[in-house]
Amino acid sequence: MIPSAPVDPRRTPRDAVYYALAAGSGLVVGAVGTVFHMAVDGISRWPDLVRAHLDGPLLYLAMSAVAAVMVAAAVALVRAFAPEAAGSGVQEIEGALEGLRPVRWKRVLPVKFVGGVLALGSGLVAGREGPTIHMGAAITKALSDAVGLGTRDTRGLLAAGAAAGLAAAFNAPLAAILFVIEETRRQFPYGLRTYSAVILCSVASAVMAEAINGSGPDMKLAVPDMPLLLLPAFVVLGAVLGAVGVAFNHALVASLDAARRLALKVSPYLLPVLVGAAVGPLILLRPEATFGGEQLAVSLPGLGLPALTLAGIVIIRFAMTMASYSTGIPGGIFAPILALATAVGVLFATLLALAVPMPPDAVAAFGVAAMGGLFSATVRAPLVGMVLVAELTGAYDLLVPVILTCVTANLVAEALGGKPIYEVLLDRTLRLAGTPRHEAPPASEELGGWDERERKTKV
């Protein structure tokens, strides 16, 4: 006789109550995420204050010192109170959905907020979506604990809070919902109840974010209609981005491993101080090498830069993303990926224009398509990449080229042996914690995602 699954002793509220909890928590996540965004924008103006009072060598020394202190302070907060707050946080939520990682919301919320503001405001190449996703899940975990929800309902709200955090970061509720469907397909406890909660939570978050900060695409870009004859070029762009995405993932993990070795051998604060000290002057000398890159992604297609300069931007953005993320600060990689992708797409279009006649402003179209392509190659969630780019830029007329770019990038990344970056980061986290995935306790039978049957047959 097959033993029945243990009954969860915690509460299972009515559907209407559960949906109300999801919508209410979405409003809170939207408010927190928007305030976080505004705080980052506010503190990011510190270079203007320094420039107003200093010049010459003292200016660069002060810029270096201030940025180094901000980064070191962010790292100190993480190390002292919530080590799991380092980095994006998406992998932590995926681990929590599998029952492999705890969500210590009392620590994560303040550390992710304050540390994220310091780190992103310092000029590091990191995105605000990582902290908002992690904080969103932490907020719903706090609500679940307060109400006393069962395991399935708690995990459903965790995913809903993460989606709400993404919706608040980019004003992209549909992409946030799809992020749960595609990215957490192995962990999310699918069902009408939990899936509806994700939708309600994401929409409520977006409504609150728009009520506070206004509506409209976060990275609005005007793009022309692309002639059908240029569609093969987007396939080639996707192939290029597939290779870049695999290289990006390998480099990111290698940077984290190198930073850990340096921290163990010398000091965990050496790299953060060095990177912060370098970022400060770069804000003045090479601003395109600093901050998350949303403004760069919007402005770059219209600057008309030569190919050599664009290649330099690609290289320096790639290097600064690795350096920034490996410091251990709270920060995401979505925004850096989008900015890097735009630079690659604009470079590709600039080179293509030397051989093929192109419509005016076609460079912007390749930049937009590249955002989705690189996202698909690194995160390995092409559907999210397609929709996220459309919601971010408002370039809905470009859906066919974007689809071709995303699908091709995903297929090439798969052919090259690439793995989803958050899956790789979660495996690394579990290994360093001494609980590798193959040794971790299995998730409850009733909670598996779409791939649960496939995983069982392979065991």
mmCIF file of all heavy atoms in Angstrom, residues 176-208:
data_model
loop_
_atom_site.group_PDB
_atom_site.id
_atom_site.type_symbol
_atom_site.label_atom_id
_atom_site.label_comp_id
_atom_site.label_asym_id
_atom_site.label_seq_id
_atom_site.Cartn_x
_atom_site.Cartn_y
_atom_site.Cartn_z
ATOM 1 N N ALA A 176 6.685 39.435 -16.088
ATOM 2 C CA ALA A 176 6.869 38.912 -14.734
ATOM 3 C C ALA A 176 6.072 37.623 -14.540
ATOM 4 O O ALA A 176 6.566 36.660 -13.941
ATOM 5 C CB ALA A 176 6.446 39.963 -13.712
ATOM 6 N N ILE A 177 4.844 37.599 -15.038
ATOM 7 C CA ILE A 177 4.028 36.384 -14.936
ATOM 8 C C ILE A 177 4.670 35.245 -15.721
ATOM 9 O O ILE A 177 4.784 34.111 -15.241
ATOM 10 C CB ILE A 177 2.607 36.663 -15.451
ATOM 11 C CG1 ILE A 177 1.906 37.694 -14.558
ATOM 12 C CG2 ILE A 177 1.787 35.377 -15.528
ATOM 13 C CD1 ILE A 177 0.655 38.287 -15.173
ATOM 14 N N LEU A 178 5.115 35.548 -16.931
ATOM 15 C CA LEU A 178 5.752 34.529 -17.766
ATOM 16 C C LEU A 178 7.072 34.061 -17.166
ATOM 17 O O LEU A 178 7.496 32.923 -17.382
ATOM 18 C CB LEU A 178 5.978 35.073 -19.178
ATOM 19 C CG LEU A 178 4.716 35.351 -19.991
ATOM 20 C CD1 LEU A 178 5.073 35.984 -21.327
ATOM 21 C CD2 LEU A 178 3.932 34.066 -20.209
ATOM 22 N N PHE A 179 7.723 34.931 -16.413
ATOM 23 C CA PHE A 179 8.983 34.558 -15.756
ATOM 24 C C PHE A 179 8.761 33.382 -14.812
ATOM 25 O O PHE A 179 9.570 32.452 -14.742
ATOM 26 C CB PHE A 179 9.545 35.755 -15.007
ATOM 27 C CG PHE A 179 10.907 35.511 -14.393
ATOM 28 C CD1 PHE A 179 12.040 35.481 -15.181
ATOM 29 C CD2 PHE A 179 11.034 35.312 -13.031
ATOM 30 C CE1 PHE A 179 13.291 35.248 -14.624
ATOM 31 C CE2 PHE A 179 12.276 35.083 -12.458
ATOM 32 C CZ PHE A 179 13.409 35.053 -13.253
ATOM 33 N N VAL A 180 7.646 33.411 -14.084
ATOM 34 C CA VAL A 180 7.320 32.300 -13.193
ATOM 35 C C VAL A 180 7.024 31.043 -14.007
ATOM 36 O O VAL A 180 7.485 29.937 -13.681
ATOM 37 C CB VAL A 180 6.130 32.661 -12.295
ATOM 38 C CG1 VAL A 180 5.615 31.434 -11.540
ATOM 39 C CG2 VAL A 180 6.522 33.751 -11.306
ATOM 40 N N ILE A 181 6.268 31.193 -15.085
ATOM 41 C CA ILE A 181 5.896 30.037 -15.902
ATOM 42 C C ILE A 181 7.125 29.377 -16.515
ATOM 43 O O ILE A 181 7.266 28.149 -16.498
ATOM 44 C CB ILE A 181 4.931 30.463 -17.026
ATOM 45 C CG1 ILE A 181 3.611 30.955 -16.434
ATOM 46 C CG2 ILE A 181 4.679 29.312 -17.989
ATOM 47 C CD1 ILE A 181 2.664 31.494 -17.471
ATOM 48 N N GLU A 182 8.030 30.182 -17.056
ATOM 49 C CA GLU A 182 9.151 29.634 -17.825
ATOM 50 C C GLU A 182 10.391 29.394 -16.970
ATOM 51 O O GLU A 182 11.016 28.343 -17.072
ATOM 52 C CB GLU A 182 9.483 30.591 -18.978
ATOM 53 C CG GLU A 182 10.361 29.974 -20.044
ATOM 54 C CD GLU A 182 10.453 30.838 -21.285
ATOM 55 O OE1 GLU A 182 10.347 32.073 -21.168
ATOM 56 O OE2 GLU A 182 10.647 30.272 -22.374
ATOM 57 N N GLU A 183 10.757 30.349 -16.141
ATOM 58 C CA GLU A 183 12.006 30.234 -15.388
ATOM 59 C C GLU A 183 11.882 29.265 -14.216
ATOM 60 O O GLU A 183 12.823 28.537 -13.908
ATOM 61 C CB GLU A 183 12.437 31.619 -14.893
ATOM 62 C CG GLU A 183 13.663 31.612 -13.982
ATOM 63 C CD GLU A 183 14.896 31.025 -14.621
ATOM 64 O OE1 GLU A 183 14.997 31.028 -15.873
ATOM 65 O OE2 GLU A 183 15.772 30.533 -13.885
ATOM 66 N N THR A 184 10.721 29.247 -13.524
ATOM 67 C CA THR A 184 10.566 28.369 -12.359
ATOM 68 C C THR A 184 9.685 27.166 -12.691
ATOM 69 O O THR A 184 8.991 26.633 -11.828
ATOM 70 C CB THR A 184 9.976 29.136 -11.158
ATOM 71 O OG1 THR A 184 8.632 29.529 -11.450
ATOM 72 C CG2 THR A 184 10.788 30.372 -10.840
ATOM 73 N N ARG A 185 9.757 26.718 -13.941
ATOM 74 C CA ARG A 185 8.897 25.610 -14.368
ATOM 75 C C ARG A 185 9.207 24.320 -13.610
ATOM 76 O O ARG A 185 8.377 23.421 -13.525
ATOM 77 C CB ARG A 185 9.041 25.379 -15.873
ATOM 78 C CG ARG A 185 10.449 24.997 -16.320
ATOM 79 C CD ARG A 185 10.583 25.015 -17.833
ATOM 80 N NE ARG A 185 11.932 24.681 -18.259
ATOM 81 C CZ ARG A 185 12.938 25.562 -18.311
ATOM 82 N NH1 ARG A 185 12.719 26.818 -17.948
ATOM 83 N NH2 ARG A 185 14.135 25.194 -18.718
ATOM 84 N N ARG A 186 10.406 24.185 -13.078
ATOM 85 C CA ARG A 186 10.770 22.977 -12.344
ATOM 86 C C ARG A 186 10.374 23.042 -10.875
ATOM 87 O O ARG A 186 10.432 22.040 -10.179
ATOM 88 C CB ARG A 186 12.276 22.729 -12.443
ATOM 89 C CG ARG A 186 12.779 22.414 -13.837
ATOM 90 C CD ARG A 186 14.285 22.169 -13.833
ATOM 91 N NE ARG A 186 14.758 21.822 -15.157
ATOM 92 C CZ ARG A 186 15.135 22.687 -16.082
ATOM 93 N NH1 ARG A 186 15.080 23.974 -15.802
ATOM 94 N NH2 ARG A 186 15.551 22.298 -17.268
ATOM 95 N N GLN A 187 10.053 24.258 -10.386
ATOM 96 C CA GLN A 187 9.825 24.412 -8.948
ATOM 97 C C GLN A 187 8.417 24.878 -8.589
ATOM 98 O O GLN A 187 7.904 24.549 -7.528
ATOM 99 C CB GLN A 187 10.830 25.434 -8.359
ATOM 100 C CG GLN A 187 12.284 25.074 -8.542
ATOM 101 C CD GLN A 187 12.898 25.704 -9.787
ATOM 102 O OE1 GLN A 187 12.247 26.460 -10.500
ATOM 103 N NE2 GLN A 187 14.151 25.390 -10.050
ATOM 104 N N PHE A 188 7.796 25.677 -9.433
ATOM 105 C CA PHE A 188 6.537 26.317 -9.062
ATOM 106 C C PHE A 188 5.420 25.294 -8.896
ATOM 107 O O PHE A 188 5.224 24.427 -9.753
ATOM 108 C CB PHE A 188 6.151 27.344 -10.130
ATOM 109 C CG PHE A 188 4.879 28.086 -9.825
ATOM 110 C CD1 PHE A 188 4.801 28.930 -8.732
ATOM 111 C CD2 PHE A 188 3.758 27.925 -10.618
ATOM 112 C CE1 PHE A 188 3.634 29.623 -8.452
ATOM 113 C CE2 PHE A 188 2.590 28.608 -10.355
ATOM 114 C CZ PHE A 188 2.532 29.455 -9.256
ATOM 115 N N PRO A 189 4.641 25.368 -7.801
ATOM 116 C CA PRO A 189 3.523 24.435 -7.580
ATOM 117 C C PRO A 189 2.308 24.831 -8.413
ATOM 118 O O PRO A 189 1.417 25.548 -7.950
ATOM 119 C CB PRO A 189 3.245 24.567 -6.079
ATOM 120 C CG PRO A 189 3.658 25.966 -5.738
ATOM 121 C CD PRO A 189 4.838 26.265 -6.628
ATOM 122 N N TYR A 190 2.257 24.367 -9.643
ATOM 123 C CA TYR A 190 1.224 24.807 -10.581
ATOM 124 C C TYR A 190 -0.173 24.387 -10.136
ATOM 125 O O TYR A 190 -0.379 23.286 -9.638
ATOM 126 C CB TYR A 190 1.507 24.247 -11.976
ATOM 127 C CG TYR A 190 2.559 25.023 -12.706
ATOM 128 C CD1 TYR A 190 3.881 24.617 -12.653
ATOM 129 C CD2 TYR A 190 2.244 26.174 -13.411
ATOM 130 C CE1 TYR A 190 4.866 25.335 -13.303
ATOM 131 C CE2 TYR A 190 3.225 26.900 -14.068
ATOM 132 C CZ TYR A 190 4.533 26.472 -14.012
ATOM 133 O OH TYR A 190 5.509 27.182 -14.641
ATOM 134 N N GLY A 191 -1.115 25.269 -10.348
ATOM 135 C CA GLY A 191 -2.519 25.038 -10.060
ATOM 136 C C GLY A 191 -3.258 26.338 -10.302
ATOM 137 O O GLY A 191 -2.649 27.419 -10.344
ATOM 138 N N LEU A 192 -4.549 26.266 -10.480
ATOM 139 C CA LEU A 192 -5.346 27.468 -10.736
ATOM 140 C C LEU A 192 -5.157 28.487 -9.608
ATOM 141 O O LEU A 192 -5.010 29.680 -9.856
ATOM 142 C CB LEU A 192 -6.822 27.098 -10.871
ATOM 143 C CG LEU A 192 -7.791 28.277 -11.029
ATOM 144 C CD1 LEU A 192 -7.496 29.036 -12.317
ATOM 145 C CD2 LEU A 192 -9.236 27.792 -10.999
ATOM 146 N N ARG A 193 -5.117 28.013 -8.390
ATOM 147 C CA ARG A 193 -5.024 28.878 -7.220
ATOM 148 C C ARG A 193 -3.694 29.631 -7.189
ATOM 149 O O ARG A 193 -3.665 30.860 -7.076
ATOM 150 C CB ARG A 193 -5.197 28.006 -5.977
ATOM 151 C CG ARG A 193 -5.127 28.711 -4.629
ATOM 152 C CD ARG A 193 -5.291 27.640 -3.554
ATOM 153 N NE ARG A 193 -5.039 28.102 -2.213
ATOM 154 C CZ ARG A 193 -5.963 28.478 -1.351
ATOM 155 N NH1 ARG A 193 -7.226 28.503 -1.718
ATOM 156 N NH2 ARG A 193 -5.640 28.841 -0.127
ATOM 157 N N THR A 194 -2.613 28.902 -7.300
ATOM 158 C CA THR A 194 -1.293 29.539 -7.211
ATOM 159 C C THR A 194 -0.990 30.383 -8.449
ATOM 160 O O THR A 194 -0.399 31.458 -8.349
ATOM 161 C CB THR A 194 -0.204 28.476 -7.034
ATOM 162 O OG1 THR A 194 -0.344 27.469 -8.047
ATOM 163 C CG2 THR A 194 -0.304 27.817 -5.668
ATOM 164 N N TYR A 195 -1.402 29.895 -9.612
ATOM 165 C CA TYR A 195 -1.154 30.627 -10.851
ATOM 166 C C TYR A 195 -1.935 31.940 -10.862
ATOM 167 O O TYR A 195 -1.416 32.994 -11.256
ATOM 168 C CB TYR A 195 -1.545 29.748 -12.035
ATOM 169 C CG TYR A 195 -1.347 30.370 -13.392
ATOM 170 C CD1 TYR A 195 -0.136 30.954 -13.740
ATOM 171 C CD2 TYR A 195 -2.372 30.368 -14.331
ATOM 172 C CE1 TYR A 195 0.049 31.515 -14.991
ATOM 173 C CE2 TYR A 195 -2.193 30.924 -15.584
ATOM 174 C CZ TYR A 195 -0.976 31.500 -15.910
ATOM 175 O OH TYR A 195 -0.799 32.050 -17.143
ATOM 176 N N SER A 196 -3.180 31.902 -10.402
ATOM 177 C CA SER A 196 -3.978 33.125 -10.332
ATOM 178 C C SER A 196 -3.370 34.113 -9.344
ATOM 179 O O SER A 196 -3.418 35.336 -9.550
ATOM 180 C CB SER A 196 -5.418 32.790 -9.927
ATOM 181 O OG SER A 196 -6.029 31.936 -10.866
ATOM 182 N N ALA A 197 -2.804 33.589 -8.268
ATOM 183 C CA ALA A 197 -2.166 34.463 -7.279
ATOM 184 C C ALA A 197 -0.988 35.203 -7.894
ATOM 185 O O ALA A 197 -0.766 36.388 -7.619
ATOM 186 C CB ALA A 197 -1.708 33.643 -6.075
ATOM 187 N N VAL A 198 -0.230 34.522 -8.743
ATOM 188 C CA VAL A 198 0.896 35.165 -9.425
ATOM 189 C C VAL A 198 0.410 36.320 -10.298
ATOM 190 O O VAL A 198 0.981 37.417 -10.301
ATOM 191 C CB VAL A 198 1.676 34.140 -10.277
ATOM 192 C CG1 VAL A 198 2.686 34.837 -11.183
ATOM 193 C CG2 VAL A 198 2.397 33.138 -9.380
ATOM 194 N N ILE A 199 -0.664 36.080 -11.038
ATOM 195 C CA ILE A 199 -1.214 37.117 -11.919
ATOM 196 C C ILE A 199 -1.681 38.321 -11.104
ATOM 197 O O ILE A 199 -1.337 39.473 -11.405
ATOM 198 C CB ILE A 199 -2.370 36.549 -12.762
ATOM 199 C CG1 ILE A 199 -1.856 35.450 -13.698
ATOM 200 C CG2 ILE A 199 -3.046 37.658 -13.562
ATOM 201 C CD1 ILE A 199 -2.960 34.731 -14.456
ATOM 202 N N LEU A 200 -2.460 38.065 -10.068
ATOM 203 C CA LEU A 200 -2.995 39.154 -9.254
ATOM 204 C C LEU A 200 -1.881 39.955 -8.574
ATOM 205 O O LEU A 200 -1.923 41.182 -8.521
ATOM 206 C CB LEU A 200 -3.947 38.591 -8.198
ATOM 207 C CG LEU A 200 -5.263 38.014 -8.732
ATOM 208 C CD1 LEU A 200 -5.993 37.261 -7.627
ATOM 209 C CD2 LEU A 200 -6.146 39.130 -9.288
ATOM 210 N N CYS A 201 -0.905 39.253 -8.060
ATOM 211 C CA CYS A 201 0.193 39.909 -7.352
ATOM 212 C C CYS A 201 1.009 40.785 -8.310
ATOM 213 O O CYS A 201 1.360 41.928 -7.986
ATOM 214 C CB CYS A 201 1.080 38.849 -6.707
ATOM 215 S SG CYS A 201 2.171 39.458 -5.404
ATOM 216 N N SER A 202 1.292 40.278 -9.500
ATOM 217 C CA SER A 202 2.074 41.038 -10.488
ATOM 218 C C SER A 202 1.332 42.280 -10.960
ATOM 219 O O SER A 202 1.906 43.368 -11.059
ATOM 220 C CB SER A 202 2.416 40.144 -11.684
ATOM 221 O OG SER A 202 3.200 39.050 -11.295
ATOM 222 N N VAL A 203 0.055 42.108 -11.260
ATOM 223 C CA VAL A 203 -0.744 43.239 -11.743
ATOM 224 C C VAL A 203 -0.877 44.303 -10.656
ATOM 225 O O VAL A 203 -0.741 45.508 -10.920
ATOM 226 C CB VAL A 203 -2.126 42.757 -12.220
ATOM 227 C CG1 VAL A 203 -3.024 43.946 -12.519
ATOM 228 C CG2 VAL A 203 -1.982 41.877 -13.459
ATOM 229 N N ALA A 204 -1.125 43.873 -9.420
ATOM 230 C CA ALA A 204 -1.248 44.828 -8.321
ATOM 231 C C ALA A 204 0.050 45.599 -8.119
ATOM 232 O O ALA A 204 0.039 46.810 -7.861
ATOM 233 C CB ALA A 204 -1.637 44.098 -7.038
ATOM 234 N N SER A 205 1.170 44.905 -8.247
ATOM 235 C CA SER A 205 2.467 45.565 -8.120
ATOM 236 C C SER A 205 2.667 46.617 -9.207
ATOM 237 O O SER A 205 3.122 47.741 -8.942
ATOM 238 C CB SER A 205 3.588 44.528 -8.191
ATOM 239 O OG SER A 205 4.856 45.140 -8.167
ATOM 240 N N ALA A 206 2.313 46.262 -10.435
ATOM 241 C CA ALA A 206 2.460 47.204 -11.545
ATOM 242 C C ALA A 206 1.554 48.418 -11.365
ATOM 243 O O ALA A 206 1.938 49.556 -11.665
ATOM 244 C CB ALA A 206 2.158 46.509 -12.870
ATOM 245 N N VAL A 207 0.331 48.180 -10.876
ATOM 246 C CA VAL A 207 -0.605 49.286 -10.643
ATOM 247 C C VAL A 207 -0.037 50.248 -9.605
ATOM 248 O O VAL A 207 -0.063 51.479 -9.785
ATOM 249 C CB VAL A 207 -1.969 48.746 -10.186
ATOM 250 C CG1 VAL A 207 -2.857 49.876 -9.668
ATOM 251 C CG2 VAL A 207 -2.669 48.022 -11.336
ATOM 252 N N MET A 208 0.500 49.709 -8.524
ATOM 253 C CA MET A 208 1.082 50.561 -7.490
ATOM 254 C C MET A 208 2.300 51.316 -8.013
ATOM 255 O O MET A 208 2.463 52.517 -7.750
ATOM 256 C CB MET A 208 1.466 49.716 -6.275
ATOM 257 C CG MET A 208 2.115 50.512 -5.148
ATOM 258 S SD MET A 208 1.056 51.848 -4.495
ATOM 259 C CE MET A 208 -0.104 50.886 -3.515
#
